[in-house]
């Protein structure tokens, strides 16, 4: 790719080295001098809006983890003691029963539509036999161990986990789409700070020019007073000069207020103390319009993100289609038991497998009456259609933005060239009128008008430079070349 001009505001390579590995500390120092590059690096390093954007991006992970948590391992442990001397309709073999039950269950859902669980259960029993129990030969002390495996497999509605996989893929794509936009958000923060940087610079130049204009007007007042002392001044000349001077004094006050307001805003954006005095490092060389290769809209982050959103919505719709039906599951259970008066004996009987139990069956579930599944499917279809329409709209809008930002940069460059020439002519006219006024050949109103127009041309020149540099950055941002994408967001 063709490089930007060396002074093309940061662009492309500026933050490639600074966005993810920050420069040396640029905290407020006496008369700190900042270039446009410094400002962009500093706002990425310590700007509060940058910190907010980074933290908000991290907060997005929760939605993805919520979906993935449905397929985590679940361990359940229970243990309880039961003391029983209750009376029943039938005659019990025991006058008193004490039972200790401990249960351990490990289960997990898989994206294959499978639910698997392993269970271990121990029941320790102690009873006080009565005459009936003694006659029947009941035991007063027993331990039962149970080890089992339970499996459920979807074969209809989310058959073999089709809907589960679509849901997970949808969540992953949605998270990735938002992650891609994180870089765009940082880019917008940098661009906003650059605009503020140039706005502050222009207000500083306006303030300086206002003071210079006030000084020129003061010199004119002094000169007219001197002429009046010798009786050479024309009627009304001194009043006109003094009135103009008062107008220049007002300009100094107004531009000073605007400058201080902007410097406070810049300090806030850069997370610097409010009393931090900033000096501007501005190159005297005005870069020409760079010649850049054509940029495909499909390669831009915003369009990539939206395409991911469309895919996420499509997966969510396919998932809803797969679950909009009667649920049919195959169920299998395998258990092995062991019973003995001693705990060790019960355990050995259980692991030997001499007392197995098997179960195989079908589980059918159907929900009806509220049409929730149908409405859920329609809702996902509408959301998918919205994302597709949004992609079409954004593609056209982004294409327009690319072209408009280039046009804006070209127009701003032409304005800089014109403002440069205008300033030269205004300066030349002021010098000529200064000589003719001193010779008494020019009316003071014409001379004052020339001074004011020269001051305006200085302001317009500074504004034109700020507009051009800002336009170059906006063009770079439109091409996704102001800030490169971080590896974790790719």
């Amino acid at each position: 790719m063709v490089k930007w001009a060396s002074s093309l505001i940061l662009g492309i390579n500026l933050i490639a080295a600074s966005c993810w590995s920050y420069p040396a500390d640029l905290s407020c120092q006496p008369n700190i001098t900042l270039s446009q590059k410094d400002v962009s690096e500093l706002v990425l390093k310590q700007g509060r809006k940058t910190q907010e954007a980074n933290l908000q991006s991290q907060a997005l992970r929760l939605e993805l983890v919520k979906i993935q948590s449905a397929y985590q391992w679940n361990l359940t442990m229970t243990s309880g003691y039961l003391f029983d001397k209750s009376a029943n309709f039938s005659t019990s073999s025991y006058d008193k029963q004490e039972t200790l039950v401990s249960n351990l269950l490990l289960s997990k859902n898989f994206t294959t539509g499978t639910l698997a669980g392993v269970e271990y259960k121990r029941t320790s029993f102690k009873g006080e036999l009565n005459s009936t129990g003694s006659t029947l030969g009941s035991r007063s002390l027993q331990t039962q161990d149970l080890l089992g495996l339970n499996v459920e497999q979807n074969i209809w509605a989310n058959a073999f986990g089709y809907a589960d996989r679509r849901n997970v893929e949808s969540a992953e794509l949605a998270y990735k789409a938002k992650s891609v936009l994180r870089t765009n958000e940082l880019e917008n923060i940098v661009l906003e700070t650059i605009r503020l940087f140039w706005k502050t610079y222009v207000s500083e130049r306006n303030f300086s020019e206002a003071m210079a204009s006030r000084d020129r007007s003061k010199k004119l007042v002094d000169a007219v007073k001197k002429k009046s002392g010798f009786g050479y001044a024309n009627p009304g000349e001194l009043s006109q000069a003094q009135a103009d001077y008062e107008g220049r004094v007002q300009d100094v006050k107004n531009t000073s207020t605007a400058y201080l307001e902007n410097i406070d805003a810049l300090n806030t954006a850069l997370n610097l103390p409010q009393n931090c005095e900033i000096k501007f490092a501005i190159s005297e060389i005005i870069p020409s319009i760079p010649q850049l290769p054509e940029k495909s809209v499909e390669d831009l982050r915003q369009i990539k993100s939206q395409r991911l959103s469309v895919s996420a919505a499509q997966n969510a719709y396919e998932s809803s289609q797969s679950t909009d039906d009667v649920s049919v599951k195959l169920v299998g259970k395998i258990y092995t038991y062991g019973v003995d008066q001693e705990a060790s004996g019960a355990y050995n009987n259980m692991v030997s497998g001499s007392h197995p139990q098997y179960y195989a069956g079908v589980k059918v579930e159907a929900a009806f009456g509220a049409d929730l599944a149908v409405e859920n499917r329609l809702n996902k279809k509408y959301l998918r259609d919205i994302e597709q329409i949004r992609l079409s709209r954004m593609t056209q809008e982004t294409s327009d933005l690319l072209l408009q930002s280039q046009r804006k940069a070209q127009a701003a460059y032409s304005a800089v060239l014109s403002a440069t020439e205008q300033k030269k002519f205004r300066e030349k006219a002021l010098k000529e009128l200064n000589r003719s006024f001193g010779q008494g050949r020019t009316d003071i109103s014409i001379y004052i008008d020339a001074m004011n127009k020269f001051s305006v041309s200085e302001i317009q020149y500074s504004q034109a430079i700020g507009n051009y540099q800002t336009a170059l950055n906006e063009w770079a941002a439109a091409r996704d070349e102001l800030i490169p994408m971080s590896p974790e967001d790719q």
Side-chain angles (χ1 to χ4, degrees):
M1 177 181 289
V2 178
K3 299 284 187 182
W4 287 95
S6 59
S7 58
L8 171 57
I9 309 232
L10 325 171
I12 310 178
N13 298 320
L14 152 65
I15 308 175
S18 64
C19 182
W20 316 116
S21 57
Y22 297 117
D25 182 34
L26 288 174
S27 59
C28 184
Q29 302 169 1
N31 299 325
I32 183 174
T33 299
L34 295 178
S35 66
Q36 179 181 253
K37 179 177 181 292
D38 295 331
V39 166
S40 299
E41 292 175 347
L42 193 56
V43 74
L44 284 173
K45 176 185 178 182
Q46 64 184 44
R48 284 181 285 250
K49 286 188 177 181
T50 301
Q51 296 173 25
E52 290 175 15
N54 288 332
L55 292 174
Q56 287 172 353
S57 176
Q58 295 300 319
L60 295 175
R61 296 188 304 174
L62 178 61
E63 294 303 317
L64 175 60
V65 174
K66 282 182 178 180
I67 299 298
Q68 295 173 334
S69 66
Y71 308 99
Q72 65 185 356
W73 289 96
N74 294 298
L75 179 63
T76 304
M77 295 182 290
T78 60
S79 183
Y81 171 76
L82 175 64
F83 179 84
D84 188 4
K85 290 186 69 176
S86 61
N88 300 299
F89 289 108
S90 60
T91 302
S92 173
S93 301
Y94 301 93
D95 292 331
K96 180 179 70 174
Q97 302 177 61
E98 296 177 72
T99 308
L100 178 63
V101 179
S102 298
N103 194 40
L104 181 67
L105 176 63
L106 180 65
S107 62
K108 185 181 189 309
N109 278 302
F110 296 88
T111 54
T112 56
T114 307
L115 170 62
V118 178
E119 180 182 10
Y120 171 70
K121 183 178 180 180
R122 166 165 286 185
T123 304
S124 299
F125 174 81
K126 182 179 180 182
E128 186 177 296
L129 290 169
N130 54 27
S131 58
T132 303
S134 301
T135 303
L136 294 174
S138 299
R139 296 177 179 177
S140 61
L141 185 66
Q142 299 182 78
T143 297
Q144 182 190 60
D145 279 352
L146 174 154
L147 180 64
L149 173 65
N150 303 319
V151 178
E152 291 186 6
Q153 176 63 55
N154 287 299
I155 59 173
W156 197 260
N158 188 29
F160 299 98
Y162 180 82
D164 291 338
R165 292 191 295 276
R166 296 288 83 76
N167 271 333
V168 172
E169 289 174 9
S170 176
E172 290 173 346
L173 289 169
Y175 174 72
K176 188 173 182 180
K178 293 175 182 178
S179 298
V180 169
L181 291 182
R182 169 181 174 267
T183 304
N184 269 26
E185 187 171 356
L186 293 177
E187 191 171 61
N188 290 335
I189 292 172
V190 171
L191 188 58
E192 178 184 346
T193 308
I194 288 174
R195 290 193 186 105
L196 182 56
F197 170 81
W198 285 106
K199 181 181 179 181
T200 307
Y201 167 74
V202 170
S203 66
E204 189 264 346
R205 297 309 306 157
N206 290 351
F207 176 50
S208 298
E209 178 54 35
M211 290 191 294
S213 178
R214 181 193 61 186
D215 294 341
R216 287 193 295 268
S217 184
K218 182 63 169 62
K219 289 179 180 179
L220 177 60
V221 170
D222 293 340
V224 174
K225 282 183 178 180
K226 187 175 181 180
K227 285 176 64 176
S228 298
F230 290 109
Y232 297 139
N234 294 322
E237 279 190 342
L238 180 58
S239 296
Q240 289 187 69
Q242 290 173 328
D244 179 70
Y245 173 73
E246 294 301 328
R248 304 287 74 75
V249 170
Q250 295 172 36
D251 288 343
V252 170
K253 295 295 184 182
N254 292 334
T255 55
S256 173
T257 301
Y259 168 62
L260 292 175
E261 179 181 344
N262 289 328
I263 202 71
D264 285 344
L266 185 58
N267 282 328
T268 299
L270 299 178
N271 198 12
L272 295 173
Q274 285 302 102
N275 58 352
C276 185
E277 183 178 349
I278 295 176
K279 291 187 177 181
F280 299 90
I282 306 299
S283 174
E284 296 294 331
I285 302 174
I286 307 300
S288 59
I289 291 288
Q291 299 298 316
L292 301 176
E294 184 177 352
K295 190 78 172 185
S296 173
V297 175
E298 298 299 320
D299 295 332
L300 298 179
R301 288 189 288 261
Q302 190 172 20
I303 301 303
K304 289 180 179 179
S305 172
Q306 186 56 34
R307 283 205 302 269
L308 290 172
S309 296
V310 171
S311 298
Q314 178 64 31
N315 280 327
Y317 173 59
E318 292 175 359
S319 173
S320 67
Q321 286 182 306
S322 178
T323 55
D324 184 15
D325 212 331
V326 175
S327 172
V328 180
K329 300 178 182 179
L330 294 179
V331 180
K333 297 181 181 181
I334 302 176
Y335 288 94
T336 176
Y337 291 84
V339 179
D340 198 275
Q341 287 183 297
E342 300 293 333
S344 59
Y347 180 81
N348 291 331
N349 287 338
M350 177 192 70
V351 297
S352 68
S354 57
H355 302 287
Q357 182 184 81
Y358 305 100
Y359 172 82
V362 178
K363 182 179 180 180
V364 180
E365 294 178 323
F368 53 90
D371 293 332
L372 177 60
V374 174
E375 287 301 323
N376 180 61
R377 175 170 52 81
L378 289 174
N379 176 264
K380 295 299 187 291
K381 178 180 182 298
Y382 299 147
L383 293 177
R384 181 203 62 182
D385 294 345
I386 289 172
E387 295 297 343
Q388 290 175 341
I389 294 171
R390 184 174 293 155
L391 174 62
S392 176
R393 173 180 58 81
M394 289 174 61
T395 300
Q396 184 63 50
E397 290 177 350
T398 305
S399 179
D400 293 341
L401 179 62
L402 274 175
L403 185 58
Q404 291 164 6
S405 60
Q406 182 178 1
R407 289 170 178 167
K408 185 177 179 180
Q410 292 169 341
Y413 180 62
S414 298
V416 169
L417 297 180
S418 177
T420 302
E421 294 301 312
Q422 182 186 44
K423 186 167 74 90
K424 290 179 181 178
F425 290 133
R426 292 295 186 191
E427 184 176 15
K428 181 179 179 181
L430 181 60
K431 289 179 180 179
E432 292 175 354
L433 289 172
N434 182 42
R435 287 194 298 268
S436 64
F437 175 73
Q439 296 168 359
R441 295 185 294 109
T442 298
D443 186 80
I444 191 172
S445 61
I446 296 177
Y447 180 56
I448 290 175
D449 183 61
M451 285 198 306
N452 294 339
K453 288 181 177 178
F454 171 71
S455 180
V456 170
S457 69
E458 288 279 7
I459 294 172
Q460 290 176 339
Y461 174 72
S462 299
Q463 185 67 60
I465 292 176
N467 290 342
Y468 177 50
Q469 298 284 20
T470 300
L472 287 176
N473 281 279
E474 290 174 347
W475 187 16
R479 294 171 58 89
D480 283 351
E481 293 170 351
L482 187 61
I483 295 182
M485 185 179 292
S486 66
E488 60 265 30
D489 290 342
Q490 291 180 357

